[in-house]
Amino acid sequence: MSTTIDTKTVKHVAFLVRLGISEGEAQKFSGQFSSIIDYFNMLNEVDTENVPPASDIANAENVLREDAVQPSMSREEFLKNAPQSERGYVKVPTVLGDE
Amino acid sequence: MKPTYEPVIGLEIHAELITNSKMFCGCSADYASAPEPNTNICPVCTGLPGAMPVANKKAIELAALVGLALNCSVNKHNTFARKNYYYPDLPKGYQISQYELPICEKGWLDIDSGSSSGAASATYRDPSRVRIRRVHIEEDTAKLFHEKNYALVDFNRAGVPLLEIVSEPDMRSVEAALDYATKVRAILRYLGVNSGNMEKGVLRFEANISVRPFGSDEFRTRTEIKNLNSFRALTRASAYEIERQIKIYESGGTVVQETLGWDDVRGVTTSQRSKEEAHDYRYFPEPDLPPLQLSDSWIAEIKSRLPELPEAKTKRFVEQYELKPQDARLLTSEKALADYFESVVSKSKSSPKTVHSWIAGEFMRYLNDSGKDVDDVTLSPESFAKLIDMVTDKTVSGNNAKVVLAELIESGGDPQEIVKEKGLAQVSDESFIQEVVTKILNDNPAEVEKYLAGKETLLQWFVGQVARATKGKADPNVTKELALKALAERKK
Amino acid sequence: MQLTTLTIREAHELLTTKKISSVELTQAMLQRIREIDPKIKSYVTVSEELALEQARKADERIAKGENVTPLTGIPFSMKDCISTRGVRTTCSSKILENYVPQYNATVTNKLAEAGAVLLGKTNMDEFGMGSSCENSAFFNTHNPWDLDRVPGGSSGGSAAAMSAGLATFTIGEDTGGSVRMPAGFCNVTGIKPTYGRVSRYGLIALVSSFDSIGPMSRDAYDCATVLEHIAGHDPHDSTTYNSPVPNYTKHINKPVQGMKLGIPKEYFVAGMEAGVESALQEAIRQFEKLGMEIHEVSLPHTKYGLPVYYLLLFAEASANLARMDGTRFGLSVSENAKDVIDIYLKTRHEGFGDEVKRRIMLGAYALSAGYYDAYYLKAQKVRTLLRRDFESAFSKVDLLLAPTCPTTAFKLGEKTSDPLEMYLSDIYVVATNPAGVPALALPAGFSNNMPVGMQLIGKHLDEQTLFQVAHAYQQVTDWHKQFPNI
Ligand SMILES: [Mg+2]
Ligand SMILES: [Zn+2]
């Protein structure tokens, strides 16, 4: 079985991860993605009935911190790396839409 | 006439938890008191590369406490997940939340709006039990300030522990939704996990709304109204959205599933996102945080911390103090008020009903007028009880006691002293009152004439005149008796 | 005396007997970096000032005889994905080209406390995504054994620096072979510790559930020395083990006779370069001579290691790299930005290389509605089977032996046109990370004059056995003592 990841899908996933992408790039990635995903489809041959996902396995559980306040990092230092700031805030262009 | 449509409403309530530090780092969670932006921050809550979360123990405990108060079962094994989306108030590009396995699930809360006598409520079907689907822990976002051509971000709020309480779509009227939201808020305040201060944004609502033909069991396309920051906004936005959807169906249209905002100024819901941007949050288990594994004994210990909740307290007040249910409900709406009531009752010789009428009456009026909280009141329950008892044993008249109460609340002091100082003690001495009655009747021959001609309602006027002349000291019952007798004599 | 090829303990001996100073040793390293590194290009940033300052402090510590550790005064380099306060940390990406962290990784702090001297930050495949170091946004690193060949990846700069004598030890990071594969290509010894043994706090995450920081050095003994200093529980990393860190070096000389060495048959199949195969066979005979029992074992799901590894990598990396959004740090392309989404789209388009783009897009794909079950969840389930493979093998043997790569170092440019072919070069090293087990890579000989690497894979938290066996092997062989001619 062969999977094709068309340019529309490539553009969709590019937007999901907020990646600007040109038409040419979408085409290039489309071909590469198809062969990669095709190869990965080999997982379908593994019987995973009744196999729990490994994401649940951890070195520990209930790793918790006491509810104690630690000092803040310096704002000046934080903002030093920010491309734009104003009056102690990080400044970003207009935000449209919601979240 | 039966309405053709009924609304189907589900609520998501976001409640910040009161903790010292943030959910996943040691920064202070008290962003409201931060004097400046970006002063409670660290690599974790600003999403710097390489920083890692560590969960706050207290927040986990409080989340379980809320779940238990809402009759949920605690998932002994529960996990964190990443919810992926981009927004400048979300520094990591994902929010740490819970998805497949939240800390609490499958609870319920009973509401009373089914018994409400409002015209609308009487016709809508109001189930009295709202099922709660889940209660999960997540982190709050940063605060975003929209300026004209840009926006400013303050990360002091980023990472504050937030609880999301998700109901099933079990509410069938705006009143039911409001009642449910009010009750959840009261419970959060009872538990001391959230101040309920909506102006400060510590409690926010999202409503999922659809409408369907009355009597139908189907679930139609729903819309989601985000960021409802007051009960008023919840009420208005829901009512507006219900009407909007009904109009669409009545004109033969279809409702589009979408996320809406509420424009409080214009009083309309607005579409916030085009369909092609529909969310795909790509949740997956958070690899930086091991699962929580909660034991039976841990859960039992949390459960033992549950205080008596509003519903149980109301029931007890009705039984123990023989109050009417609606009176008991008023007193139990706030834990502090209920506690205050019980404290006054325990110190007073008067009946609980009498205490209730003082608290529900003068005291609440004072709170409303002054905008104060019960907690802000310095008047001790002992003094309040003493004053009420003075009314009961007729040491002071009800009206004068109100004056004393105002003085007590404002400046404190001892009720007996104030009564003595202001000369407000009630006088029941018949010879003294007889003298005043005689004088009032003599001074007002026209009124006496009218009374004798049959206008008997004037009796109360005479009693009032006596009260005025004695500055409220004369016992009104004695006054009334003596006035009746005197007037009867003049009739002869 | 050649200062730049000393082992840690040789250098320590010279330092504590005051035959050399840390400043001298550090100067010698800096000098060699200036001379040799233009050919190798292993360093992205050389922190000369900091290094000399740390060296002076180390010399004071040694002079006073206070708090001297085996690492005091020892110059090292670090993969450029581990945060160093005040020293640029780029992940070899344009998007972090000018990013100077405001805080130290836990590992950085631990090494500073031990008195080690940071020479600089080494080149890597961008964000650890690659197997040849050719995905660095800045430049290719060259294999010191043949400058036309790759050093392996993604910790290619670290391995090349080690091999070329540009550091006494180096800190790499292994997400799916990134320490072991370049160690094999460059003839150095390196370990990927058990997942959770070393704190990841401050490590710029690639795959949060695989990433393992590990040292590379001249031999197993040095590796053990460094791991003792960087391992352990960290309250800032909830996934670190709480168990105490053994004193690896103390027990490193314990005999290996009677230990059971498993040879996973799935790792010795057609496709392996002949010289690699014969080097491995020779190594097996050597282990036998050391008195170890050799057993063939099976890890039946081995061939699924690669898709499991890559699918989970894509998924986690797509989220881990989301914070590189041009608003709080790093590159920000804001020209003509109408709104904040424009900044995201432009910054990430310009800031990320093609391999990063491919992987985060595929990650979004594997997690998105409709594909989650088929890709992400399926991979997590097969990952459980991979873990069980190891568990079952370790019920029969004490450790496993496998090659680190089917071939020796390939030519620069040889595999860059086909991403999938590049992925396939990781076939022997990727399965350990989804399983979380430790694995130590060490030199096993040469094939056509290029180094051959092999790895010893152990049980969870059993780094001790790996060190013991590797050390025993290095007592009777001298592959690890061979240096390239540069
Ligand atoms: Mg939420
Ligand atoms: Zn913080």
Side-chain angles (χ1 to χ4, degrees):
Chain A
M1 123 183 162
S2 160
T3 309
T4 309
I5 300 184
D6 57 20
T7 52
K8 191 173 161 249
T9 308
V10 172
K11 287 180 200 164
H12 172 68
V13 294
F15 188 72
L16 280 179
V17 293
R18 297 295 185 270
L19 203 57
I21 188 171
S22 70
E23 189 59 43
E25 285 173 311
Q27 265 163 28
K28 178 181 73 182
F29 289 134
S30 159
Q32 291 172 343
F33 288 2
S34 300
S35 63
I36 291 167
I37 290 294
D38 237 8
Y39 178 77
F40 289 176
N41 279 333
M42 76 155 87
L43 289 185
N44 291 332
E45 54 190 68
V46 187
D47 178 7
T48 49
E49 180 109 15
N50 300 320
V51 178
S55 39
D56 241 21
I57 303 164
N59 301 338
E61 53 201 27
N62 301 339
V63 182
L64 304 170
R65 10 173 297 275
E66 293 300 325
D67 181 27
V69 175
Q70 305 293 324
S72 174
M73 74 188 281
S74 122
R75 178 172 77 185
E76 196 192 345
E77 245 183 290
F78 171 59
L79 294 177
K80 210 160 64 183
N81 273 332
Q84 289 188 81
S85 62
E86 186 178 297
R87 288 178 285 133
Y89 294 92
V90 170
K91 187 177 172 183
V92 297
T94 312
V95 179
L96 303 172
D98 79 304
E99 199 36 67
Chain B
M1 197 184 78
K2 248 193 198 176
T4 329
Y5 292 92
E6 74 170 352
V8 174
I9 307 175
L11 284 188
E12 279 178 28
I13 300 181
H14 284 94
E16 281 177 1
L17 293 173
I18 298 174
T19 53
N20 297 321
S21 64
K22 292 185 180 180
M23 186 62 225
F24 298 115
C25 63
C27 294
S28 166
D30 186 10
Y31 64 90
S33 314
E36 291 272 328
N38 293 314
T39 46
N40 295 344
I41 56 165
C42 75
V44 178
C45 58
T46 54
L48 296 188
M52 295 177 68
V54 185
N56 183 333
K57 188 175 164 194
K58 178 84 182 291
I60 308 285
E61 293 171 358
L62 297 185
L65 189 69
V66 171
L68 290 167
L70 296 172
N71 305 296
C72 292
S73 51
V74 174
N75 279 328
K76 288 188 204 166
H77 179 80
N78 65 91
T79 55
F80 291 99
R82 291 184 182 178
K83 178 183 184 181
N84 296 285
Y85 66 90
Y86 288 79
Y87 208 65
D89 65 8
L90 188 71
K92 298 186 295 297
Y94 56 84
Q95 180 189 36
I96 304 179
S97 181
Q98 295 194 293
Y99 187 57
E100 280 181 332
L101 292 166
I103 186 161
C104 299
E105 276 184 300
K106 299 190 188 83
W108 50 264
L109 188 63
D110 283 340
I111 57 172
D112 343 283
S113 66
S115 59
S116 158
S117 56
S121 317
T123 44
Y124 285 103
R125 270 188 313 152
D126 282 338
S128 61
R129 177 157 292 187
V130 176
R131 289 166 303 157
I132 290 161
R133 186 181 297 165
R134 55 190 280 139
V135 173
H136 73 243
I137 304 165
E138 54 188 36
E139 50 180 342
D140 210 343
T141 55
K143 262 193 169 172
L144 198 58
F145 298 89
H146 298 271
E147 305 285 327
K148 193 153 181 275
N149 293 311
Y150 58 93
L152 298 174
V153 200
D154 171 13
F155 290 94
N156 285 344
R157 194 182 70 181
V160 166
L162 196 61
L163 217 54
E164 187 169 320
I165 303 164
V166 185
S167 85
E168 296 290 348
D170 284 351
M171 288 154 276
R172 299 288 176 268
S173 69
V174 174
E175 291 84 347
L178 183 63
D179 192 19
Y180 167 77
T182 307
K183 285 204 151 56
V184 170
R185 178 180 178 272
I187 288 175
L188 295 173
R189 284 174 52 84
Y190 260 65
L191 299 176
V193 304
N194 181 290
S195 70
N197 191 332
M198 306 220 29
E199 273 154 41
K200 287 190 175 154
V202 300
L203 197 64
R204 283 109 69 181
F205 306 127
E206 281 174 33
N208 296 311
I209 293 180
S210 64
V211 300
R212 64 185 178 192
F214 186 83
S216 151
D217 281 335
E218 69 174 323
F219 287 99
R220 293 193 167 189
T221 306
R222 62 192 173 86
T223 57
E224 190 181 335
I225 317 171
K226 293 207 150 211
N227 295 323
L228 298 170
N229 293 334
S230 66
F231 286 107
R232 190 176 128 87
L234 171 66
T235 312
R236 288 176 73 212
S238 304
Y240 175 87
E241 183 58 17
I242 291 164
E243 283 313 309
R244 189 186 73 89
Q245 291 189 18
I246 290 174
K247 272 184 207 148
I248 291 174
Y249 286 127
E250 281 181 342
S251 62
T254 50
V255 171
V256 180
Q257 180 165 355
E258 62 184 334
T259 303
L260 303 169
W262 169 245
D263 184 330
D264 207 50
V265 179
R266 285 161 58 216
V268 296
T269 55
T270 54
S271 184
Q272 295 213 326
R273 198 184 297 115
S274 55
K275 267 169 289 169
E276 59 271 20
E277 280 179 55
H279 270 299
D280 184 350
Y281 288 124
R282 292 160 285 132
Y283 283 99
F284 71 95
E286 166 58 280
D288 284 335
L289 292 166
L292 294 174
Q293 197 70 45
L294 308 173
S295 66
D296 285 320
S297 61
W298 185 89
I299 295 168
E301 197 278 316
I302 299 296
K303 205 166 194 167
S304 73
R305 297 187 204 173
L306 278 179
E308 184 182 37
L309 293 168
E311 204 56 36
K313 208 182 272 288
T314 304
K315 208 175 268 178
R316 180 168 65 80
F317 277 21
V318 169
E319 282 162 17
Q320 188 177 340
Y321 302 122
E322 297 175 332
L323 298 176
K324 287 185 209 149
Q326 64 266 35
D327 292 345
R329 206 164 282 137
L330 173 89
L331 291 172
T332 59
S333 63
E334 293 285 338
K335 183 169 183 294
L337 185 65
D339 289 348
Y340 195 81
F341 165 78
E342 289 209 275
S343 189
V344 176
V345 166
S346 73
K347 311 248 152 49
S348 162
K349 295 175 294 186
S350 312
S351 78
K353 272 185 190 167
T354 305
V355 174
H356 159 263
S357 68
W358 274 94
I359 289 190
E362 274 317 288
F363 186 69
M364 293 285 278
R365 188 172 309 133
Y366 169 78
L367 292 182
N368 285 336
D369 291 351
S370 63
K372 280 188 180 165
D373 245 15
V374 184
D375 291 323
D376 304 329
V377 173
T378 51
L379 170 59
S380 72
E382 286 84 356
S383 294
F384 201 174
K386 209 168 176 185
L387 179 64
I388 294 171
D389 289 349
M390 284 167 76
V391 179
T392 303
D393 60 23
K394 301 189 173 162
T395 315
V396 65
S397 72
N399 278 336
N400 276 350
K402 289 176 189 171
V403 176
V404 177
L405 181 64
E407 169 90 15
L408 280 173
I409 291 177
E410 285 299 330
S411 337
D414 179 76
Q416 264 167 341
E417 296 289 320
I418 296 172
V419 166
K420 205 182 279 174
E421 231 170 71
K422 302 207 160 188
L424 295 173
Q426 183 156 285
V427 178
S428 312
D429 174 25
E430 289 194 14
S431 59
F432 167 72
I433 297 173
Q434 182 66 61
E435 221 170 275
V436 184
V437 168
T438 307
K439 182 170 187 300
I440 294 291
L441 295 188
N442 291 345
D443 288 354
N444 297 285
E447 277 70 20
V448 172
E449 198 68 25
K450 278 184 203 159
Y451 176 87
L452 295 177
K455 202 178 174 194
E456 297 192 352
T457 49
L458 274 171
L459 175 65
Q460 204 49 49
W461 185 81
F462 290 119
V463 174
Q465 291 302 307
V466 174
R468 237 175 103 182
T470 61
K471 288 182 182 146
K473 284 187 284 186
D475 181 326
N477 289 325
V478 176
T479 307
K480 203 167 157 188
E481 243 169 67
L482 294 175
L484 260 175
K485 216 193 274 173
L487 286 162
E489 268 166 25
R490 296 202 182 200
K491 207 168 187 175
K492 286 173 192 168
Chain C
M1 187 169 46
Q2 176 63 272
L3 292 182
T4 54
T5 53
L6 298 171
T7 62
I8 294 172
R9 57 200 185 288
E10 286 164 351
H12 177 69
E13 174 70 20
L14 294 171
L15 287 167
T16 49
T17 55
K18 320 265 163 66
K19 295 208 171 68
I20 57 167
S21 69
S22 176
V23 170
E24 278 172 72
L25 180 57
T26 303
Q27 299 271 28
M29 282 294 179
L30 292 168
Q31 179 58 28
R32 185 165 168 87
I33 291 170
R34 276 191 291 272
E35 282 167 16
I36 304 292
D37 208 42
K39 284 194 261 180
I40 310 291
K41 302 193 83 63
S42 61
Y43 280 85
V44 173
T45 303
V46 176
S47 46
E48 182 165 344
E49 252 176 68
L50 174 72
L52 290 170
E53 186 195 315
Q54 286 182 326
R56 271 192 294 275
K57 280 190 185 149
D59 283 334
E60 278 170 34
R61 256 163 96 161
I62 293 166
K64 288 183 191 155
E66 267 171 21
N67 198 14
V68 176
T69 78
L71 298 184
T72 306
I74 308 290
F76 75 104
S77 65
M78 191 145 72
K79 189 175 182 178
D80 209 15
C81 55
I82 300 170
S83 302
T84 41
R85 184 189 167 98
V87 177
R88 192 167 76 115
T89 301
T90 69
C91 283
S92 291
S93 178
K94 263 181 82 177
I95 212 161
L96 292 180
E97 188 166 2
N98 299 307
Y99 168 64
V100 180
Q102 298 100 325
Y103 76 107
N104 272 336
T106 297
V107 164
T108 310
N109 277 334
K110 287 193 167 204
L111 288 166
E113 280 156 26
V117 173
L118 178 70
L119 293 167
K121 309 293 291 289
T122 50
N123 200 21
M124 56 188 283
D125 286 292
E126 185 178 3
F127 288 104
M129 297 185 188
S131 315
S132 67
C133 231
E134 290 164 292
N135 290 335
S136 165
F138 308 137
F139 40 76
N140 292 333
T141 296
H142 300 262
N143 192 313
W145 292 87
D146 177 350
L147 298 179
D148 292 335
R149 291 177 189 269
V150 302
S154 64
S155 311
S158 297
M162 204 55 233
S163 156
L166 305 176
T168 307
F169 71 92
T170 179
I171 301 295
E173 184 282 324
D174 188 312
T175 301
S178 289
V179 159
R180 291 160 289 150
M181 194 239 190
F185 278 10
C186 295
N187 208 50
V188 304
T189 303
I191 188 167
K192 172 213 121 49
T194 308
Y195 174 79
R197 183 75 282 194
V198 178
S199 168
R200 293 182 290 120
Y201 187 73
L203 163 70
I204 301 180
L206 173 56
V207 187
S208 306
S209 67
F210 298 166
D211 293 347
S212 308
I213 293 177
M216 297 159 101
S217 56
R218 307 233 174 276
D219 59 23
Y221 191 100
D222 278 6
C223 257
T225 305
V226 180
L227 190 61
E228 278 169 16
H229 283 88
I230 62 172
H233 177 67
D234 180 5
H236 291 296
D237 176 354
S238 309
T239 65
T240 47
Y241 281 96
N242 218 340
S243 50
V245 180
N247 192 336
Y248 303 119
T249 48
K250 190 175 170 194
H251 304 291
I252 204 164
N253 284 309
K254 282 195 178 163
V256 298
Q257 276 106 320
M259 276 192 185
K260 293 178 184 148
L261 179 66
I263 310 296
K265 63 177 184 197
E266 291 80 5
Y267 282 66
F268 291 83
V269 290
M272 207 189 293
E273 190 178 307
V276 172
E277 166 114 51
S278 58
L280 266 286
Q281 293 305 341
E282 179 53 35
I284 292 170
R285 277 191 288 279
Q286 196 59 257
F287 287 117
E288 224 172 349
K289 274 198 238 164
L290 287 167
M292 295 176 75
E293 288 177 28
I294 311 297
H295 296 265
E296 188 184 87
V297 294
S298 173
L299 301 169
H301 296 90
T302 296
K303 74 179 239 204
Y304 305 110
L306 200 78
V308 165
Y309 168 77
Y310 274 100
L311 279 169
L312 297 178
L313 180 150
F314 296 163
E316 287 193 28
S318 72
N320 281 330
L321 269 57
R323 64 186 68 193
M324 319 288 160
D325 64 8
T327 64
R328 282 153 297 129
F329 53 82
L331 181 73
S332 182
V333 183
S334 56
E335 272 165 73
N336 308 320
K338 290 191 305 292
D339 74 5
V340 75
I341 291 177
D342 271 347
I343 290 221
Y344 298 156
L345 295 174
K346 287 176 180 166
T347 300
R348 293 164 68 82
H349 180 261
E350 280 192 32
F352 289 143
D354 272 2
E355 187 56 33
V356 174
K357 289 177 182 169
R358 266 193 288 279
R359 294 193 188 190
I360 61 177
M361 281 191 273
L362 283 167
Y365 181 79
L367 287 170
S368 65
Y371 297 101
Y372 180 88
D373 286 4
Y375 295 111
Y376 178 83
L377 191 63
K378 183 78 182 182
Q380 285 288 16
K381 287 178 175 175
V382 181
R383 180 182 181 187
T384 300
L385 298 175
L386 285 173
R387 294 180 73 112
R388 288 180 185 169
D389 277 3
F390 282 105
E391 279 161 23
S392 123
F394 287 130
S395 70
K396 301 179 192 94
V397 297
D398 299 306
L399 73 167
L400 302 169
L401 175 72
T404 51
C405 188
T407 64
T408 56
F410 43 89
K411 288 251 162 82
L412 282 155
E414 193 179 319
K415 300 188 179 187
T416 43
S417 60
D418 183 352
L420 186 56
E421 207 200 321
M422 187 70 93
Y423 297 172
L424 289 169
S425 56
D426 292 341
I427 194 113
Y428 292 144
V429 280
V430 290
T432 47
N433 295 66
V437 293
L440 182 148
L442 69 165
F446 290 83
S447 167
N448 297 320
N449 300 319
M450 288 304 290
V452 173
M454 62 176 169
Q455 56 177 332
L456 300 168
I457 304 169
K459 299 173 192 173
H460 283 107
L461 291 180
D462 191 18
E463 285 83 1
Q464 184 68 59
T465 297
L466 304 184
F467 288 133
Q468 253 170 265
V469 173
H471 182 67
Y473 178 84
Q474 290 181 334
Q475 298 305 296
V476 296
T477 57
D478 59 2
W479 305 120
H480 62 290
K481 293 180 179 159
Q482 308 304 308
F483 292 97
N485 246 326
I486 329 161

